[in-house]
């Protein structure tokens, strides 16, 4: 039974890209990943964070926070 708590699951890079495209559309997702600098990611874009080896789940969480993605879609 869910009580409104967020269920955390591992996210791989391909899943991260799919989540981004599903949430923002493929063109906007690519723009966000390459252009938006996230303080939560140490002043990196999502693409830079991935290249630096940060966990895709952590990057997705940062995107969700900044863009107010509803918990049921995180």
């Amino acid at each position: 039974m869910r009580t409104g708590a967020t269920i955390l699951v591992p996210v791989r890079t391909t899943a991260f890209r799919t989540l981004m495209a599903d949430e923002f559309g493929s063109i906007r997702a690519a723009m966000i990943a390459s252009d938006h600098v996230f303080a939560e990611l140490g002043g990196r874009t999502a693409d830079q964070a991935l290249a630096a080896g940060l966990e895709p789940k952590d990057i997705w969480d940062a995107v969700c926070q900044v863009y107010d993605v509803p918990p049921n879609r995180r």
Side-chain angles (χ1 to χ4, degrees), residues 4-62:
T6 301
I7 297 173
L8 301 177
V9 295
V11 176
R12 295 181 185 258
T13 301
T14 53
F16 169 77
R17 298 286 184 197
T18 300
L19 289 166
M20 289 286 289
D22 288 349
E23 185 63 33
F24 302 107
S26 59
I27 294 171
R28 185 166 182 233
M31 290 172 52
I32 291 169
S34 66
D35 296 338
H36 186 106
V37 176
F38 293 86
E40 299 81 0
L41 300 176
R44 298 178 179 102
T45 66
D47 287 343
Q48 291 169 334
L50 287 168
L54 273 69
E55 288 294 322
K57 177 64 177 149
D58 296 336
I59 300 167
W60 175 242
D61 287 342

